[in-house]
Amino acid sequence: MDDKGRHTFVCGHPIAHSRSPLIHNYWLSRYAIPGTYRTIDIEPTKFTQFMSDLPVSDFVGGNVTIPHKEAAYALAARSDDMCHLIGAANTLWIKDNLLHATNTDAQGFTANLDQQAPGWDKATSALILGAGGASRAVIFALQSRGFSSIMVANRTLQKAVELTHRFGPRVTAHTLDAVVELSRDVGLIINTTPLGMSQTPSFSIDFSNAKSGTLVTDIVYVPLRTPMLASAAQAGLRCVDGLGMLLHQAAPGFHKWFGIYPEVTPELRNAIVEDLVKFQ
Ligand code: NAP
């Protein structure tokens, strides 16, 4: 450690859009910890070299984002069970000169709902849109909270079917055509696809058949109020945005690198919301 403290990063390609530096630099300042957290743009062809250089670099660890999450999992010397389950890593740290990896998305997902919609896990059935890496994290989170029926609807049915093999009989696979029908009977609906993200097409879902207590959450957080959340709110359903998941998935990494488990406060959330306003 030099006199500037510990050094950390988020790497991706592109990376300029990442809100992670705002989050980690807020915590470094709040807890008066000497250290840095910076963005590094790494092209896919250079990622393997970047990973192999990390144990002998000045960094104590960092975050990995699109498109390197799967490669980070494959290249880390030690990946934990959460990485194996999800098939991707978002958090790295160096211990005993070895690169370790985990995935904190499931923790971020549950912590967000615990904070924004306490009691959300009283529901027993859920509908997940999407069957990618984030969907796996959400399935794990729901299973760990005792959900007995988890329906996964995906554009490519086969990918949803693969998740039923991986996660067992409480998970069922469906096509996106079935979403309106499936939404009638569930207590929780989660979008884990990029649809609705700023400058991408959005989902058009008719929520008029959903039960009045159904909670709808979108892990896309740019914009904060996605088209899906807007139509759910219009149908009178409770909604939770995806920003809290981003904030909470960041906390375990900060803890590993700097030794303090940071708090996700309204002040931090407001700082990021102000930054996101330009995308609304
Ligand atoms: P991924 O592994 O690439 O999976 C994407 C999923 O979305 C797949 O199921 C894919 O369906 C579906 N999809 C993509 N484009 C589609 C389209 N045009 N129409 C219908 N379905 C489509 O991605 P991921 O890592 O799971 O991430 C998904 C989203 O979650 C990203 O926007 C990411 O930024 C966000 N995210 C947010 C947080 C947070 O902290 N809030 C954390 C993690 C991820 P197919 O199988 O048919 O391709």
Side-chain angles (χ1 to χ4, degrees), residues 105 130-134 154-156 159 192-195 219 221 242 245-246:
D105 280 341
N154 197 45
R155 176 176 63 179
T156 311
K159 276 198 177 170
T192 72
T193 77
L195 290 176
I219 72 167
Y221 57 88
M245 179 175 171
L246 179 79

Side-chain angles (χ1 to χ4, degrees), residues 42-210:
I42 311 265
E43 288 171 31
T45 52
K46 301 201 170 132
F47 189 67
T48 303
Q49 188 63 48
F50 174 75
M51 288 286 280
S52 64
D53 290 345
L54 272 177
V56 291
S57 71
D58 288 342
F59 293 113
V60 295
N63 288 124
V64 182
T65 188
I66 290 170
H68 303 313
K69 287 182 175 186
E70 286 81 10
Y73 161 59
L75 293 167
R78 300 275 185 277
S79 292
D80 69 5
D81 288 347
M82 193 62 85
C83 281
H84 296 318
L85 190 74
I86 297 171
N90 69 354
T91 303
L92 303 173
W93 68 101
I94 292 136
K95 190 177 158 202
D96 302 330
N97 292 320
L98 290 176
L99 195 53
H100 291 247
T102 189
N103 192 306
T104 62
D105 280 341
Q107 207 173 330
F109 177 79
T110 43
N112 183 34
L113 292 189
D114 285 343
Q115 192 172 47
Q116 303 291 332
W120 66 275
D121 51 357
K122 290 201 180 89
T124 55
S125 58
L127 168 62
I128 302 175
L129 313 179
S135 175
R136 289 179 187 202
V138 170
I139 295 171
F140 173 84
L142 297 181
Q143 287 196 326
S144 68
R145 292 300 179 93
F147 276 68
S148 55
S149 167
I150 301 168
M151 294 175 261
V152 178
N154 197 45
R155 176 176 63 179
T156 311
L157 180 62
Q158 185 51 32
K159 276 198 177 170
V161 172
E162 282 162 21
L163 297 190
T164 68
H165 299 150
R166 184 178 277 257
F167 288 95
R170 288 189 289 167
V171 179
T172 54
H174 308 268
T175 58
L176 289 177
D177 297 343
V179 162
V180 172
E181 192 55 34
L182 296 172
S183 67
R184 284 173 189 269
D185 298 319
V186 292
L188 177 63
I189 300 172
I190 309 117
N191 175 40
T192 72
T193 77
L195 290 176
M197 197 159 60
S198 193
Q199 289 164 6
T200 68
S202 71
F203 268 128
S204 159
I205 299 180
D206 176 4
F207 287 107
S208 53
N209 291 327

